[in-house]
Amino acid sequence: MATLAFAVRLFAQGPAASPPADPAASQTDSSQAAEIVNHGFDLLSTHDRNNAEAAFRKAIELKPDLASAHRGLALALWSGGRRTAAFGELRKAVQLDPQDADAHFDLGKLAWDLNAEGSQTATAQKPADYLDLAATEMALAAKLKPNDPEIRLSLAEVDLEAKRPQDAVAAAGEAVRLAPSSARAHVSLGRADLAVGEDVHAVAEAKEALRLDPADAEADYLLGQVSWGRKDAAGAEREFREAIRVKPDFAPAYAALAQTALERGRPGEARLLLEKDLSLDPRDWQSEYRLAKLVSESGETKRALDLLNDVLRRAPGFAPAQEQLGMALVRRGDLPGATAKAQSLEARSPAGPEGHRLMALILWKQRDLDGSLAECAQALGADPDSIAALALQALELWRLNRKKEARGVFVTAAKREPRLATAEVFCRLILCDARDIGPVEEFLQKNRWALAPPPSP
């Protein structure tokens, strides 16, 4: 077999002048290609991706059906941010060697990465399909390497994201069996337990992870999620802050802490926390959406539109962002643009609340009370807990002199949002302009009493 030094010299010579003419020459090419692939992986290990890419391409010239060369090329391309090309090379690698567990695992990880970005490759793979592909490839890798806990852990995470919690419990449980001293495995199993409603088991796994590693931020984060699910906002906040203390760059804890700040009436703090989260994880479009809502509510329409458009670039089918984009247009006074957005939402999802909620708001601005009430009814049919739709419905019923109905709706809404009795919160929900402030203040003045507790006997 050729030595590594000979392989490197061959790599420097450029393309071969002609294909091998006999079986012996073909075997020599295979040996040389294998040596060059080994050299390419050595280069990758030193982060020299450009020369690694050239080495793998040279190996492919010598031996086009060498699966390891295609996998190596994919890793070099991926490390350079060329994920579409890497995707194609990994597809070739698993086709050429279906028994290569590492290639299946890499393809699964890349598909997962593409799903998170919302990308679409030249292979016409739809973004929504990447998660299924990731799960399929990781399951194949786990079957080929049944004793690899890392594969099981990644499979559990993908199953959780794909809303297959029972599968996640099985994969994470196997990871714990294979690596009982791994804090990460216990956290993974705890997350899966929480997803199937086993919060007591989730707490036990999180505490075991902290016993193994007291500085495990993900275990603290999991405990915070359990507290949040139990409606213990103070406990959740405490755990999320602990996660940040032990790992200051742990982005999910900032996003979760922002939610607790919003729940406890601190929108300014929530905004700062979301800004921090996005500085650590720019791909977190869910946090970007929440930030866009806060920015819009503070009157920064241009930045809100920029954020919402970026969210929709990453998640084109995310109807709540489309609704918020329409609301930002309402704030800007562009009712025709907002109407077009509402009609598009209603056409795409007639049973969804977003289009009807937006249209109800637009019709209120145009003082079409009957039309707006009809849209409110459809929005509440899809989302009965929508505070914005309930607030608008109560106000419009009052304006139509349906006093008793209005008061009943107002009380229902205030049970979900006690601060609704303040003009600030009420106006924020229905995007008050100068014409709306008077009707809102009159309505609240005459109906706040309905929220007062009954006198003691």
Side-chain angles (χ1 to χ4, degrees):
M1 180 179 288
T3 64
L4 178 59
F6 175 75
V8 174
R9 288 199 302 274
L10 179 65
F11 160 59
Q13 291 172 1
S18 60
D22 58 66
S26 178
Q27 178 143 10
T28 299
D29 279 352
S30 295
S31 298
Q32 292 169 352
E35 290 286 351
I36 293 172
V37 165
N38 289 336
H39 179 56
F41 279 109
D42 288 340
L43 291 168
L44 270 185
S45 71
T46 62
H47 307 290
D48 186 358
R49 65 171 180 264
N50 291 330
N51 283 325
E53 178 184 342
F56 292 127
R57 290 192 185 279
K58 178 65 181 179
I60 290 169
E61 286 180 14
L62 290 169
K63 185 70 173 168
D65 61 351
L66 186 58
S68 59
H70 289 282
R71 174 174 172 257
L73 177 57
L75 296 178
L77 293 168
W78 188 0
S79 67
R82 294 152 67 187
R83 291 177 299 174
T84 297
F87 184 85
E89 292 298 326
L90 281 171
R91 275 287 179 92
K92 290 178 187 174
V94 297
Q95 289 166 1
L96 289 167
D97 186 359
Q99 301 304 307
D100 186 344
D102 292 333
H104 284 292
F105 187 40
D106 288 334
L107 180 56
K109 289 189 293 184
L110 179 53
W112 193 10
D113 192 36
L114 288 166
N115 168 75
E117 183 64 21
S119 302
Q120 184 156 349
T121 71
T123 61
Q125 187 86 19
K126 295 179 181 178
D129 295 335
Y130 285 123
L131 202 55
D132 285 339
L133 178 63
T136 299
E137 293 298 324
M138 287 182 182
L140 284 170
K143 186 175 180 180
L144 292 165
K145 270 190 173 181
N147 296 320
D148 188 329
E150 180 65 28
I151 294 175
R152 301 283 181 175
L153 284 171
S154 294
L155 179 57
E157 294 298 313
V158 170
D159 283 333
L160 275 177
E161 192 169 338
K163 311 298 183 190
R164 294 192 286 263
Q166 293 291 354
D167 292 339
V169 168
E174 190 63 13
V176 167
R177 186 188 69 80
L178 293 167
S181 61
S182 166
R184 183 183 165 208
H186 286 283
V187 169
S188 182
L189 180 54
R191 291 184 64 220
D193 284 334
L194 184 58
V196 297
E198 296 286 351
D199 61 339
V200 174
H201 291 170
V203 169
E205 293 297 333
K207 288 183 176 179
E208 177 62 12
L210 287 169
R211 186 188 69 79
L212 293 164
D213 180 5
D216 191 322
E218 294 201 16
D220 290 310
Y221 178 71
L222 175 57
L223 290 173
Q225 288 180 304
V226 172
S227 293
W228 182 259
R230 292 173 174 175
K231 310 297 184 185
D232 178 7
E237 181 173 340
R238 183 173 57 252
E239 296 295 347
F240 294 143
R241 289 194 185 281
E242 178 63 12
I244 290 171
R245 187 190 69 78
V246 300
K247 190 176 181 182
D249 62 349
F250 186 52
Y254 289 96
L257 195 55
Q259 288 293 92
T260 67
L262 283 172
E263 176 73 15
R264 308 186 86 181
R266 305 195 301 264
E269 180 185 345
R271 177 170 174 171
L272 292 174
L273 288 163
L274 289 170
E275 297 273 17
K276 178 65 175 179
D277 170 40
L278 289 168
S279 73
L280 295 168
D281 182 8
R283 297 197 311 183
D284 183 358
W285 59 264
Q286 291 96 335
S287 287
E288 190 173 23
Y289 165 69
R290 296 185 188 103
L291 178 61
K293 288 182 66 177
L294 289 173
V295 166
S296 183
E297 289 167 4
S298 69
E300 298 172 55
T301 305
K302 183 181 183 306
R303 187 173 181 220
L305 288 170
D306 290 342
L307 289 167
L308 289 166
N309 281 318
D310 193 56
V311 169
L312 290 169
R313 179 183 64 80
R314 299 171 185 275
F318 188 53
Q322 294 280 6
E323 179 188 7
Q324 287 297 318
L325 190 59
M327 292 176 73
L329 294 172
V330 171
R331 283 190 177 90
R332 199 166 65 178
D334 183 3
L335 293 186
T339 299
K341 181 64 67 178
Q343 290 171 339
S344 173
L345 278 166
E346 289 183 336
R348 184 180 307 149
S349 180
E354 293 84 6
H356 295 294
R357 206 158 38 213
L358 178 57
M359 187 62 80
L361 181 63
I362 295 164
L363 293 172
W364 157 251
K365 297 298 182 185
Q366 296 170 340
R367 295 304 187 253
D368 180 356
L369 300 185
D370 289 325
S372 183
L373 274 176
E375 293 289 342
C376 280
Q378 291 192 71
L380 289 167
D383 180 10
D385 295 326
S386 172
I387 307 299
L390 286 168
L392 186 56
Q393 185 183 54
L395 180 60
E396 289 173 334
L397 287 169
W398 183 265
R399 300 291 290 174
L400 288 169
N401 208 32
R402 295 161 63 179
K403 310 291 189 183
K404 185 176 181 181
E405 292 175 78
R407 193 168 291 123
V409 173
F410 180 54
V411 170
T412 298
K415 287 178 180 177
R416 294 173 172 81
E417 172 50 270
R419 294 169 296 171
L420 190 62
T422 66
E424 178 187 359
V425 172
F426 202 107
C427 276
R428 175 168 54 80
L429 287 168
I430 69 165
L431 309 189
C432 280
D433 57 30
R435 292 194 311 150
D436 302 326
I437 294 173
V440 167
E441 288 182 340
E442 177 196 355
F443 173 77
L444 292 176
Q445 182 182 5
K446 294 186 176 181
N447 289 282
R448 279 194 184 99
W449 65 268
L451 307 183
S456 301

